Amino acid sequence: MDVLYFAWVRERIGLPREQVETSAATVADLVEELRAREERYAAAFADLSALRVALDQELSEFDASLDGVREVAFFPPMTGG
Amino acid sequence: MRISVQEAPFELGAESDAFAAGVAGAGAVVTFTGVVRDADQGGLTAMEIEHYPGMTEKALTAIAEEAMKRWSLADALVIHRHGRLTPGERIMMVATAARHRKDAFEAAEYLMDYLKSRAPFWKKEILAGGGSDWVAAKDADEDALKRW
């Protein structure tokens, strides 16, 4: 699936998007897989309360299922306006 | 209803006039404009606004459609810029038109409250000293949604 990162999450990980091969059942499982990869991922996902997630461009929750999801995006709370 | 996510500046007068001309029967037109202000201690060189292409348009459309449902609106407009902006530049505007002012005012506030916390934009302040900071979301912005 496509995994996208925005704002300081993108800066910490060092790339805006990537293709991830995963069998993670939920967003939280995917986060655990990513955290285990490298320190920069662990740093980006250190505090989930500081993060939001969107599944196929709809805001979602970390316990949500990834079944059928094509695009996951991680970012900090939004600051528009 | 029109949603525009754009890098280019917009002409406030032209946008307001065109919006008002399209809702000739409405008795109230409310517009709000967001402007890049200087950092709290001064010294803001620029504001970089990042967004999530695709999701941004969807989120803004959903927010505006909800406003059209909740209030008796003739029309609504949201323009939001992204990219590098300097202090004094306009970041965004919303406009609402209704038969009566209460609907137009409330819907404009609703649009603003929701797009601050639910539209995928992030702001980074570029400071004159060379540093930069991502603008943190405020609890007050999240709390503002509770009144709706």
Side-chain angles (χ1 to χ4, degrees):
Chain A
M1 66 180 60
D2 287 319
V3 181
L4 283 66
Y5 310 108
F6 291 96
W8 57 255
V9 185
R10 170 179 55 74
E11 289 181 339
R12 281 189 197 173
I13 291 175
L15 74 176
R17 65 188 301 154
E18 62 185 323
Q19 274 273 328
V20 174
E21 293 298 325
T22 179
S23 53
T26 65
V27 176
D29 294 341
L30 174 63
V31 167
E32 282 313 308
E33 283 185 16
L34 293 170
R35 268 182 180 150
R37 277 182 168 186
E38 288 177 51
E39 178 51 35
R40 58 196 169 110
Y41 290 91
F45 291 106
D47 177 10
L48 289 193
S49 70
L51 290 178
R52 301 289 180 268
V53 61
L55 303 181
D56 289 333
Q57 304 189 348
E58 295 277 348
L59 266 185
S60 189
E61 303 293 335
F62 283 84
D63 60 2
S65 167
L66 290 176
D67 192 25
V69 171
R70 287 173 300 173
E71 185 173 293
V72 181
F74 294 104
F75 41 77
M78 296 163 267
T79 53
Chain B
M1 202 180 89
R2 185 163 77 87
I3 303 297
S4 178
V5 181
Q6 61 189 56
E7 192 157 4
F10 57 87
E11 286 295 329
L12 182 59
E15 293 290 353
S16 298
D17 285 349
F19 180 77
V23 288
V29 173
V30 166
T31 64
F32 172 86
T33 311
V35 179
V36 179
R37 61 172 172 259
D38 208 341
D40 288 341
Q41 283 86 35
L44 184 79
T45 300
M47 180 84 85
E48 287 179 359
I49 301 176
E50 181 172 335
H51 79 115
Y52 182 173
M55 182 177 170
T56 309
E57 291 81 355
K58 279 207 269 187
L60 291 178
T61 299
I63 292 165
E65 281 176 349
E66 182 63 24
M68 297 288 289
K69 261 193 261 174
R70 288 188 183 213
W71 288 276
S72 184
L73 297 184
D75 203 1
L77 166 70
V78 178
I79 300 174
H80 204 302
R81 296 178 64 195
H82 59 92
R84 189 180 177 93
L85 279 66
T86 52
E89 276 195 84
R90 287 184 283 266
I91 301 180
M92 52 78 61
M93 73 174 285
V94 300
T96 53
R99 191 158 180 80
H100 301 289
R101 71 172 187 262
K102 190 164 184 284
D103 284 323
F105 272 123
E106 285 186 5
E109 285 204 64
Y110 173 91
L111 288 173
M112 284 309 305
D113 283 349
Y114 267 81
L115 76 83
K116 277 200 94 66
S117 307
R118 291 291 183 271
F121 290 99
W122 302 274
K123 293 176 185 152
K124 187 180 193 179
E125 293 179 337
I126 311 299
L127 304 170
S132 63
D133 275 317
W134 287 100
V135 175
K138 297 181 185 72
D139 290 342
D141 290 339
E142 192 65 30
D143 289 344
L145 302 186
K146 291 176 186 161
R147 65 175 164 144
W148 308 111

